[in-house]
Amino acid sequence: MKKKIFLSLAIAATAAIPCHAQTDSTQEATLQLKEVTISTTRIPEVKSNAAATVTIIDQKQIAEMSKVAPDMSHLLGLLTPGMALSSNTTSSRSQSLRGRSALILIDGIPQSTPLRSTDRDIRTIDVSAIDHIEIVKGSTALYGNGAIGGLINIITKKNAAHRAIGGQTTLSGSTYNFFRQGKGQGYRINQQLYGAAGNLDYLVNGTFGRTGSSVDGDGQFISPRYGLGDTYTTNALVKLGYAFSPKNRIELMYNFYRSLQDTRLVPSGGKYLKQPAIGIVGDRDPLAVDEGTRYNHNAYLKFTSHDLFAHTDFETAVYGSSLYTIFDFRKANPAQPRWEETSGQSAVKDRKFGFRTQFSTRLIFSDNAFTHLVYGYDYLFDKTAQPLVDGRYWMPWLTSNSHAPFLQTKTTLWQWFNIKLGGRYDFINVSVPDYDVLRNKLSAPQVHVKGGSLRYNNLSFNIGLSYNRYPVFQPFVAFSQGFSIFDLGRTLRAAKADVLEKISTEPVKTDNYEIGAYSNINNWLQINGSFFYTYSKLGSDLKIENGFWVVNRTPQKVYGIELSADAQILSNLKAGANLSWFEGKLKSASGDWDTYMSSISIPAAKLAMYVNYAPVKNTYLNLQYIHTGKRDRFAPNAAGAYNEGEGKVNRINLLNLTAGVRLKAWDLSLSVSNLLNYTYYTPSSMLMARNAEYAHADGRNITLTASFRY
């Protein structure tokens, strides 16, 4: 009894890991919480030894959350401490990681496009194709360009069965608020096949789905601008593996993703702080095309060899990707002209090819002293442009070649003291062709920019210490550096100078400091807490100028805390919560840190709590509570309006519920997002302070899901 009382107090006083998946039959038989091994740090290790704050979203959590919110931006916003909630749109611009951009990877393949950001790199794969997600917080030198806020590595599914064929079929249907007014019906179909034949194993996973028109808590259609409503999504994943021997294996992966909006609604109204932008039935402009990601192809061919030579493993991978994303249609606006005073629709096209080669060597000096070395070389070719759908170019094709040798070491002394030390040297050459800046006004002077090469050479270090002798208190301290060519195309497309060398294109470099601790109390309570501080001489925040977002190069610092706990109270009862809070400041010309960073980068504090309960055998009941705080850091301007990115963000309280039953091979569930049908504005719409984007979030949404495994 005392144990339960102590645990309840601990959960109330601490913050915890986000909503976890249902308790299954294996969990019901034990009170223990398992340690999780991660690979994104390039040295496979238990996360408490990583000398960093790491969040793991496992396959059970993903399967559970996909019943409530089958969208990557929703899933990460709900389950990741240090990341803002989804904007409920296709854009993830306001979903930074600890106030800075994160490098998004799919099986190690970069999805981020630093030559011209899409703000869509989170939504490049469907949740049905994902096995688990590893999130390493803080700037890191492990993967080079882009990881100034951390890494989000999405690991795709793989075959784990030892039979010739197996599979799973999943069907789901969703509706807003019990079919109210017949609005918002959607569906998803997923088919998975996997198996092995001799040394060959395979997995094929396909998903097709369509969302209904988005409806708020009042039953009103939400504005379709950048909307997730009325989108159809297709995802296909294929994995083939062949084991030449117990030590040597080759693997091929291909993933295709498409998500486009096809809606009968058009945006209407919207007045900041007064009324929401809504959707009404109407005809879109005949020049407009469906917005969204037309395609995202990712593939790799990987070879691994264990004990290639003495105490050394080897891995090499060749990969490629191709992306085409289209943004929303903009009607010509004489008050704020763009694209030579014409209507238009911009897009981003990106092509990547790269390879990674690394060796992993274990040096054993004694039972109390051994070192793990990971060393190798990364290469990446990246080509990106921002054309308009009509063929004009807002940003020309930019081409970069990146080379980077790296070394990461982890030395363990006395079995419990770990010293991590690593470095990476990035050589990046960006080729910029001669180009004409696409003017906003026809009367503006034509700017012709003479192209050339931009060369970036950067050495990044990381060092971390962790002490793991006592499970109840495992402290760590870390320093890491990050490096990013932050959205280079955004700068080049608005160039005022006629020579490339006169344009400010310096990279963002960050220094990240973190101190924290993990605690494991008898394998039934896990607690994690950390404090972090990040500084950059050149900023990566965005600010608005003449109606366009530009990079704010002012020095920045970001600092904050993350607290979490996770507890297996009974064999059929699990609970926890997490809390994240951080703040960002800009350094003024006077040398004082007296200006707040905009809410685009710095979200309000977030608290998430969950309870997973299995009332009887083969049933599950999961309740998740999300609270975001208030952030009101800015005053209206001289005209009495808020600058874009500086709007007032009010508190939000949400409840999500999932209940289900397993009957042999069947899993039947009912999920309800926004259980109380709460009508609220999304944090993104509040902070943006734009009339057209001031929109409500989704109201109550009910999803019925049936899965059959065979």
Side-chain angles (χ1 to χ4, degrees):
M1 186 65 178
K2 290 182 179 179
K3 181 179 178 180
K4 294 180 183 178
I5 294 174
F6 169 77
L7 182 58
S8 299
L9 292 174
I11 293 174
T14 332
I17 294 171
C19 176
H20 283 240
Q22 68 271 11
T23 302
D24 63 14
S25 57
T26 59
Q27 289 175 312
E28 290 171 5
T30 179
L31 286 173
Q32 293 187 348
L33 296 170
K34 296 181 180 179
E35 289 277 17
V36 180
T37 299
I38 62 172
S39 60
T40 298
T41 54
R42 291 204 159 181
I43 297 177
E45 58 190 344
V46 175
K47 70 175 187 177
S48 58
N49 293 344
T53 299
V54 178
T55 297
I56 307 296
I57 304 176
D58 62 34
Q59 209 284 320
K60 291 179 180 178
Q61 291 174 272
I62 294 169
E64 183 65 31
M65 285 306 302
S66 66
K67 299 173 183 177
V68 178
D71 181 81
M72 276 296 296
S73 58
H74 279 298
L75 185 145
L76 286 172
L78 289 170
L79 299 185
T80 307
M83 177 175 278
L85 295 181
S86 168
S87 65
N88 203 40
T89 68
T90 55
S91 174
S92 58
R93 180 182 296 163
S94 61
Q95 280 191 286
S96 63
L97 189 62
R98 287 186 172 179
R100 305 201 183 266
S101 60
L103 178 61
I104 312 297
L105 308 166
I106 294 178
D107 288 333
I109 303 173
Q111 304 302 297
S112 303
T113 51
L115 297 179
R116 176 64 187 97
S117 175
T118 64
D119 296 319
R120 308 292 193 275
D121 41 6
I122 290 177
R123 299 189 73 256
T124 50
I125 189 171
D126 189 79
V127 293
S128 64
I130 301 171
D131 180 78
H132 68 282
I133 304 171
E134 299 178 356
I135 304 164
V136 181
K137 313 291 181 64
S139 57
T140 175
L142 291 172
Y143 289 86
N145 183 25
I148 58 175
L151 295 166
I152 300 177
N153 193 14
I154 300 166
I155 313 297
T156 57
K157 287 181 177 178
K158 60 182 178 181
N159 173 44
H162 299 286
R163 57 179 183 269
I165 187 169
Q168 178 174 299
T169 302
T170 302
L171 303 174
S172 65
S174 60
T175 184
Y176 283 91
N177 205 13
F178 302 103
F179 298 94
R180 181 177 178 180
Q181 300 177 18
K183 297 178 179 178
Q185 282 72 56
Y187 62 88
R188 280 171 63 84
I189 304 170
N190 172 251
Q191 178 63 58
Q192 185 179 141
L193 294 172
Y194 49 82
N199 294 333
L200 176 70
D201 58 85
Y202 65 92
L203 178 141
V204 179
N205 185 84
T207 300
F208 180 79
R210 183 180 179 92
T211 62
S213 301
S214 295
V215 180
D216 65 15
D218 297 327
Q220 175 65 60
F221 286 127
I222 299 171
S223 170
R225 185 178 182 185
Y226 296 145
L228 295 177
D230 294 320
T231 62
Y232 58 94
T233 299
T234 304
N235 199 102
L237 170 68
V238 178
K239 266 192 176 177
L240 300 173
Y242 185 82
F244 298 102
S245 70
K247 293 184 177 181
N248 298 295
R249 173 181 170 82
I250 191 169
E251 185 174 87
L252 173 68
M253 184 277 288
Y254 169 72
N255 191 79
F256 169 78
Y257 175 78
R258 170 184 290 150
S259 181
L260 293 171
Q261 185 187 65
D262 178 19
T263 182
R264 60 196 177 101
L265 302 177
V266 295
S268 177
K271 183 67 176 177
Y272 185 62
L273 296 180
K274 293 185 178 180
Q275 65 183 37
I278 62 173
I280 59 173
V281 177
D283 296 324
R284 69 182 184 185
D285 193 289
L287 296 177
V289 299
D290 290 346
E291 65 175 272
T293 298
R294 284 195 175 179
Y295 57 77
N296 184 37
H297 302 277
N298 283 275
Y300 71 69
L301 181 63
K302 179 168 63 178
F303 173 74
T304 55
S305 178
H306 296 289
D307 292 324
L308 180 66
F309 49 86
H311 306 295
T312 298
D313 298 335
F314 172 71
E315 179 180 303
T316 185
V318 178
Y319 63 85
S321 67
S322 180
L323 172 73
Y324 183 24
T325 292
I326 301 175
F327 302 104
D328 67 322
F329 181 82
R330 298 294 179 93
K331 187 76 174 177
N333 180 5
Q336 199 175 77
R338 61 171 65 196
W339 307 321
E340 299 175 331
E341 302 178 29
T342 63
S343 302
Q345 202 164 357
S346 71
V348 167
K349 292 185 176 181
D350 180 74
R351 311 283 184 268
K352 290 187 180 74
F353 168 79
F355 64 83
R356 290 195 173 101
T357 299
Q358 72 176 45
F359 295 87
S360 178
T361 300
R362 300 168 297 281
L363 304 176
I364 302 173
F365 307 108
S366 70
D367 290 342
N368 292 319
F370 46 90
T371 295
H372 197 154
L373 301 175
V374 175
Y375 47 97
Y377 173 79
D378 291 346
Y379 169 75
L380 175 63
F381 171 84
D382 190 1
K383 188 174 183 179
T384 311
Q386 186 172 17
L388 300 184
V389 172
D390 62 19
R392 293 174 293 170
Y393 277 86
W394 200 3
M395 184 198 82
W397 283 100
L398 307 180
T399 303
S400 72
N401 282 276
S402 305
H403 307 263
F406 64 88
L407 170 66
Q408 184 70 36
T409 72
K410 180 180 179 181
T411 299
T412 301
L413 303 175
W414 306 291
Q415 303 289 332
W416 40 261
F417 183 61
N418 303 296
I419 304 169
K420 295 184 70 173
L421 179 65
R424 176 187 175 100
Y425 203 103
D426 283 279
F427 303 87
I428 302 179
N429 181 58
V430 181
S431 297
V432 181
D434 297 346
Y435 70 98
D436 293 324
V437 175
L438 190 60
R439 299 169 293 177
N440 294 334
K441 296 181 179 180
L442 287 171
S443 59
Q446 180 67 64
V447 176
H448 177 76
V449 179
K450 182 174 179 56
S453 294
L454 300 172
R455 291 181 172 83
Y456 304 93
N457 299 325
N458 183 77
L459 177 62
S460 300
F461 287 105
N462 67 85
I463 183 170
L465 307 174
S466 62
Y467 180 87
N468 308 118
R469 184 170 186 177
Y470 304 105
V472 295
F473 183 61
Q474 303 174 67
F476 68 86
V477 60
F479 168 77
S480 58
Q481 294 179 313
F483 161 70
S484 178
I485 305 172
F486 183 75
D487 206 351
L488 182 62
R490 188 181 292 274
T491 300
L492 295 180
R493 77 183 190 186
K496 300 295 189 294
D498 58 356
V499 179
L500 186 64
E501 288 77 8
K502 296 180 182 179
I503 304 171
S504 178
T505 57
E506 295 89 345
V508 176
K509 299 180 181 181
T510 57
D511 292 332
N512 183 75
Y513 305 84
E514 185 167 7
I515 183 171
Y518 289 90
S519 178
N520 189 326
I521 301 174
N522 294 329
N523 290 325
W524 59 270
L525 173 62
Q526 293 177 350
I527 302 174
N528 172 220
S530 67
F531 169 80
F532 61 89
Y533 173 88
T534 306
Y535 169 79
S536 61
K537 185 177 180 180
L538 287 177
S540 57
D541 202 20
L542 293 177
K543 63 179 180 179
I544 200 76
E545 283 188 1
N546 301 318
F548 294 92
W549 294 107
V550 297
V551 181
N552 188 347
R553 310 299 291 190
T554 308
Q556 298 175 344
K557 65 177 181 180
V558 180
Y559 50 91
I561 59 170
E562 287 185 17
L563 301 169
S564 68
D566 192 24
Q568 189 76 51
I569 304 172
L570 300 170
S571 60
N572 63 343
L573 178 62
K574 187 177 180 181
N578 75 65
L579 172 69
S580 56
W581 172 91
F582 51 97
E583 189 55 89
K585 291 287 190 72
L586 302 174
K587 193 174 186 178
S588 64
S590 65
D592 297 323
W593 296 95
D594 54 5
T595 304
Y596 288 105
M597 288 175 61
S598 79
S599 297
I600 296 175
S601 296
I602 309 298
K606 184 175 72 172
L607 170 68
M609 303 177 70
Y610 75 91
V611 175
N612 293 348
Y613 179 53
V616 296
K617 186 178 180 180
N618 296 327
T619 65
Y620 53 91
L621 181 66
N622 306 319
L623 185 66
Q624 181 190 36
Y625 167 69
I626 299 290
H627 169 81
T628 61
K630 182 179 181 180
R631 191 166 194 263
D632 187 5
R633 299 285 188 264
F634 308 97
N637 55 32
Y642 285 90
N643 294 328
E644 295 184 15
E646 299 183 355
K648 295 193 301 183
V649 177
N650 296 319
R651 297 178 179 87
I652 293 172
N653 294 282
L654 292 174
L655 279 175
N656 297 325
L657 172 70
T658 298
V661 60
R662 297 187 186 88
L663 302 171
K664 295 183 178 180
W666 288 91
D667 186 329
L668 306 175
S669 68
L670 168 69
S671 299
V672 186
S673 62
N674 193 358
L675 179 64
L676 302 181
N677 201 33
Y678 177 43
T679 300
Y680 66 99
Y681 291 92
T682 65
S684 176
S685 73
M686 289 187 277
L687 67 90
M688 285 299 181
R690 284 178 166 178
N691 293 337
E693 295 178 27
Y694 192 56
H696 283 155
D698 289 355
R700 181 190 292 119
N701 190 277
I702 298 96
T703 302
L704 292 170
T705 303
S707 294
F708 179 70
R709 186 181 294 272
Y710 45 90

